[in-house]
Amino acid sequence: MAESGRYYSELNGRVGGPQFHNRKGRGSFRGRPHNEQIRQRHRGGQTGGFGPGPRSRLEDGDGDVSMSDCQDGAFQQRFNPYGRPNRKDGRFDRDRRGGGGGLVGYRSPGVSAPLLDTPSLFGCTSSEKNKTWFKITIPYGKKYDKKWLLTALQNLCHVPFIPIDYSTEGNKVQFFLEDAISANALSKITRRITDTEGYKVVVLINPCPPPAFLQSDLTEQDLEHLKQCMSKRFDASEQHLDLNSIRTDPDLVSQKIKVILNHKNCMQAVVKIIEENIPELVCLNLSNNRLYKLDDFAELVNKVPNLKTLNLSHNELKSERELDKVRGFKLTELCLDRNPLCDHFKDQSSYISAIRQRFPKLLKLDGHDLPAPIGFDIETGTIIPTCKGSYFGSDEIKEFVLGFLQQYYSVYDSGDRQSLLDAYHEGASFSLSIPMSMHNPFRSFLGDYQKDSRNLKKLKDPVARFRLLKHNRLNVVAFLNELPRTQHDTASFSVDVNTYSQTLLAFTVSGVFKEVDGKSRDSVRAFSRVFIAVPAVNSGLCLVNDELFVRFANTEDIRRAFFAPAPTPSSSPVPTLSAPQQEMLSAFSQKSEMNLEWSQKCLQHSDWDFNRAVQIFTELKAQGSIPEVAFIK
């Protein structure tokens, strides 16, 4: 037993070695080590029972991959623009987880229950995912060849990842990931790789702060050396700066200065030097710098307005969406050759189209001339036509639709939406969407709606798409009851009837509403809602499809909101602003420089005491507690 305990201590994190092959499942080492089960349990992983015994590697179909399998084979191949040679590395075979009452004219078959969605890593919210780093640890990973280990992990991980600061510590290997989606995918392949000795490769993942090396600043002396180095690489006659593989520059290496443009401090230093010394820059070469993101480089967009040529070839950009961060450049020439993103397109035309969508004036891509962009030379200014009001098609349809909307929203705003069951067809469907820009840090202010948003532009997972689509009238109305209580400004409604016949009516209603309770009480929202209806047996309308889109109200929306008195539900009265309150709101907004919505929140919080509101605003602003969205007008 002493020997067994010693062996267990030595092999903590490695399970199922050949020493156990002839034990026929006996003993206490059949499953994962006890301390690893505890770690998995604390991490929210699977608990209970034991893992497969040593013999199970010969019998189960869990997708394990042996080390020898990695030596040969071929990657799944994709189109490589301009005929670049395909990779020859090996790829493992992946595991194949595979209305009611008088309003209903007919009854549709039921819909199967939605599939379960994959939980987020460690319970992180969307905003946390963008801020958290992850430390990946491979116990006893030092004995593996780096290329073999990373290839094995990547082949089983369904999401591409880029390891940052790969290193060994004792017998283990560790590296960092900044991408929560990749980290979540890696967490699912622990124990699915088997090495040549029969041991399973364990992958441990923990959230962590950004690595220390990313936060270290360059000294003043380092910055001066970097400035001199960049000066030597700058061609003033052509306004061209060549930073190709700058990390290996002899002048910097001799001074033991590491300029790695993937590091925030290094890229910020380069951007600052360019801004202060060569703002007229026309050509910039950033090739061979292992760039995998462009967040820090994007700060240069408004500082070099004349930049026309950009070389990002031979880097690690894995998605064309990275280019969205620098689409502010008016580029005529761009080079992306030898980046992983180039392998994601089925053909050359789709590749060119995706890049030109971001840089419409592009004339040359990867050294190849492109057809001249199609455009219109307009010498005189154009006047955008004013927005027209509602469109109904006929007075009869107008009266019919407005009557329906008045009845619908009087119930919707009453606080008890259960009566809306009579407005929906038995097989009705409902979906909710909100704007979900990845670069909008304030999207959490629509938090009550965000978790149920089915924005197809951002949501690519078919399982999640299905789950967020509400089927049949009971589920639809149950979901509507979960949404925040509201008061709609019917005077703000704009209605467009786009389809009408004897059997079908489709129309869109847009306007504004207030939330009347919860954290966002009195916040003004803008909405657009598409209704598709069929005739009901009682000469009314029966909704078969309902799509709701909610967004932030802009300053003009807020200014006009509830300007005319609107009907107030008796169960949740929300008074409109009096004339003195409107004057106070305007004065406070001018003094604080906040928009009207946030100014009104501050005044309401202070019981409309102007001096107290000013005092609270000053204190919160000094603490940095007021978000930037409050100052967007």
Side-chain angles (χ1 to χ4, degrees):
M1 289 302 293
E3 279 188 19
S4 297
R6 199 160 51 246
Y7 185 74
Y8 171 72
S9 175
E10 292 173 359
L11 293 184
N12 181 19
R14 300 191 299 168
V15 183
Q19 292 84 347
F20 303 120
H21 284 183
N22 298 323
R23 297 184 60 172
K24 298 184 178 178
R26 294 176 296 163
S28 59
F29 299 100
R30 296 182 59 197
R32 64 184 67 177
H34 175 67
N35 59 344
E36 186 181 333
Q37 289 186 15
I38 294 176
R39 284 198 303 272
Q40 294 287 346
R41 190 176 300 118
H42 287 179
R43 208 173 288 120
Q46 186 176 356
T47 60
F50 292 92
R55 291 174 57 86
S56 67
R57 289 195 310 275
L58 305 177
E59 300 169 355
D60 63 14
D62 64 353
D64 286 349
V65 179
S66 67
M67 184 173 181
S68 60
D69 292 339
C70 186
Q71 307 307 320
D72 299 303
F75 273 115
Q76 203 173 11
Q77 297 185 4
R78 293 177 177 165
F79 171 74
N80 204 342
Y82 313 120
R84 292 191 286 272
N86 295 318
R87 295 189 177 97
K88 299 299 183 182
D89 303 355
R91 179 180 290 274
F92 292 114
D93 290 332
R94 296 186 179 179
D95 196 15
R96 306 292 184 187
R97 311 278 182 209
L103 299 177
V104 180
Y106 60 92
R107 186 176 297 270
S108 301
V111 181
S112 58
L115 303 175
L116 293 176
D117 193 16
T118 304
S120 60
L121 182 66
F122 310 123
C124 291
T125 64
S126 300
S127 58
E128 290 170 337
K129 287 182 182 179
N130 294 331
K131 300 176 182 177
T132 306
W133 281 71
F134 298 87
K135 183 177 181 181
I136 315 300
T137 304
I138 313 293
Y140 290 88
K142 183 179 180 180
K143 71 175 185 175
Y144 303 129
D145 174 70
K146 176 181 176 181
K147 182 178 180 181
W148 175 86
L149 181 59
L150 291 179
T151 301
L153 293 172
Q154 183 62 85
N155 288 341
L156 281 182
C157 182
H158 68 277
V159 177
F161 67 89
I162 297 183
I164 300 173
D165 194 30
Y166 184 100
S167 62
T168 59
E169 181 179 332
N171 288 327
K172 63 187 177 183
V173 159
Q174 62 185 28
F175 57 86
F176 297 89
L177 292 180
E178 191 179 6
D179 183 3
I181 296 176
S182 298
N184 192 18
L186 266 181
S187 69
K188 297 176 181 178
I189 66 172
T190 185
R191 300 176 167 276
R192 290 187 55 197
I193 301 171
T194 306
D195 64 18
T196 54
E197 299 177 359
Y199 295 115
K200 300 209 182 237
V201 177
V202 175
V203 182
L204 306 178
I205 301 180
N206 290 287
C208 67
F213 68 84
L214 291 179
Q215 307 178 57
S216 58
D217 294 328
L218 297 172
T219 65
E220 290 295 329
Q221 188 176 7
D222 293 340
L223 292 173
E224 187 59 34
H225 282 297
L226 175 59
K227 186 175 179 179
Q228 293 175 7
C229 172
M230 292 174 62
S231 177
K232 293 180 181 180
R233 289 168 166 254
F234 178 64
D235 182 351
S237 64
E238 297 185 359
Q239 287 291 314
H240 178 268
L241 178 60
D242 184 5
L243 298 183
N244 172 53
S245 193
I246 192 173
R247 67 186 181 282
T248 61
D249 188 283
D251 292 344
L252 298 176
V253 173
S254 64
Q255 297 295 327
K256 297 183 179 179
I257 300 174
K258 293 184 178 180
V259 178
I260 303 175
L261 296 187
N262 266 331
H263 296 181
K264 186 179 183 70
N265 61 318
C266 295
M267 181 60 84
Q268 287 181 336
V270 168
V271 168
K272 185 176 181 181
I273 291 173
I274 294 175
E275 177 188 11
E276 294 177 351
N277 298 275
I278 45 176
E280 300 301 318
L281 187 67
V282 174
C283 304
L284 178 59
N285 184 354
L286 290 175
S287 59
N288 288 293
N289 280 295
R290 300 176 183 173
L291 295 174
Y292 65 92
K293 64 175 184 174
L294 298 176
D295 299 74
D296 302 317
F297 173 62
E299 296 179 9
L300 196 63
V301 168
N302 296 321
K303 299 172 182 177
V304 285
N306 297 328
L307 189 71
K308 302 298 181 185
T309 302
L310 179 61
N311 188 342
L312 292 172
S313 64
H314 294 265
N315 280 297
E316 297 296 333
L317 302 175
K318 59 184 179 179
S319 171
E320 68 274 14
R321 289 191 295 273
E322 282 297 319
L323 300 175
D324 291 334
K325 302 168 185 176
V326 294
R327 66 191 308 168
F329 287 130
K330 310 301 181 184
L331 298 180
T332 58
E333 183 174 350
L334 175 64
C335 190
L336 296 169
D337 192 28
R338 302 292 180 178
N339 276 281
L341 69 86
C342 295
D343 299 334
H344 296 170
F345 300 94
K346 61 182 180 179
D347 53 41
Q348 181 174 333
S349 61
S350 60
Y351 170 63
I352 295 174
S353 176
I355 304 305
R356 212 170 199 179
Q357 181 182 0
R358 292 160 172 85
F359 305 102
K361 296 184 179 180
L362 206 63
L363 298 176
K364 184 176 286 189
L365 178 60
D366 296 342
H368 296 261
D369 292 332
L370 301 179
I374 299 174
F376 300 92
D377 294 328
I378 302 176
E379 296 180 359
T380 60
T382 58
I383 300 176
I384 300 176
T386 57
C387 180
K388 294 186 179 296
S390 300
Y391 175 79
F392 296 94
S394 70
D395 291 339
E396 182 182 2
I397 295 177
K398 176 180 178 179
E399 182 179 357
F400 191 68
V401 171
L402 290 181
F404 170 82
L405 290 176
Q406 183 178 5
Q407 183 179 3
Y408 182 93
Y409 281 103
S410 65
V411 176
Y412 191 93
D413 290 342
S414 67
D416 181 9
R417 298 169 182 160
Q418 197 65 26
S419 298
L420 291 176
L421 276 172
D422 292 338
Y424 286 91
H425 183 268
E426 183 70 23
S429 296
F430 174 89
S431 64
L432 165 71
S433 295
I434 65 171
M436 292 188 66
S437 170
M438 297 304 293
H439 311 298
N440 179 8
F442 307 112
R443 63 186 184 277
S444 59
F445 283 86
L446 288 173
D448 289 335
Y449 300 93
Q450 183 173 343
K451 61 183 176 62
D452 298 299
S453 175
R454 191 174 179 266
N455 189 322
L456 299 183
K457 187 174 181 180
K458 297 296 181 183
L459 189 65
K460 305 302 182 184
D461 181 7
V463 176
R465 286 183 173 187
F466 183 85
R467 178 175 56 82
L468 292 172
L469 184 62
K470 309 305 176 184
H471 297 276
N472 74 59
R473 66 184 187 128
L474 291 176
N475 289 332
V476 169
V477 176
F479 177 75
L480 293 179
N481 273 311
E482 295 175 2
L483 294 178
R485 294 173 61 192
T486 58
Q487 178 199 3
H488 286 74
D489 180 9
T490 55
S492 71
F493 282 8
S494 175
V495 182
D496 287 304
V497 176
N498 53 66
T499 303
Y500 59 92
S501 68
Q502 295 296 325
T503 57
L504 183 69
L505 179 64
F507 57 97
T508 301
V509 55
S510 303
V512 296
F513 65 86
K514 282 182 181 180
E515 295 187 19
V516 299
D517 59 7
K519 297 179 181 178
S520 301
R521 180 185 176 93
D522 295 325
S523 295
V524 178
R525 311 292 190 205
F527 78 97
S528 180
R529 198 160 184 173
V530 179
F531 292 112
I532 299 178
V534 296
V537 294
N538 62 350
S539 301
L541 287 180
C542 183
L543 298 176
V544 294
N545 194 286
D546 181 0
E547 299 178 22
L548 173 62
F549 181 83
V550 179
R551 62 170 175 84
F552 293 111
N554 57 38
T555 305
E556 186 65 15
D557 293 331
I558 296 172
R559 186 181 69 81
R560 294 182 177 181
F562 300 94
F563 184 77
T568 303
S570 57
S571 60
S572 56
V574 180
T576 57
L577 299 183
S578 63
Q581 287 177 331
Q582 290 182 9
E583 292 179 6
M584 185 185 299
L585 175 62
S586 178
F588 186 79
S589 177
Q590 185 176 2
K591 183 177 182 64
S592 66
E593 298 184 347
M594 292 196 301
N595 57 44
L596 294 176
E597 179 183 4
W598 284 82
S599 297
Q600 183 174 336
K601 286 182 179 181
C602 191
L603 287 169
Q604 288 174 334
H605 184 73
S606 307
D607 295 327
W608 293 94
D609 184 329
F610 189 89
N611 293 330
R612 183 185 174 195
V614 171
Q615 180 182 357
I616 293 175
F617 168 78
T618 304
E619 292 174 355
L620 293 176
K621 188 176 182 181
Q623 297 170 5
S625 302
I626 302 178
E628 294 181 18
V629 71
F631 300 95
I632 298 176
K633 296 185 178 181

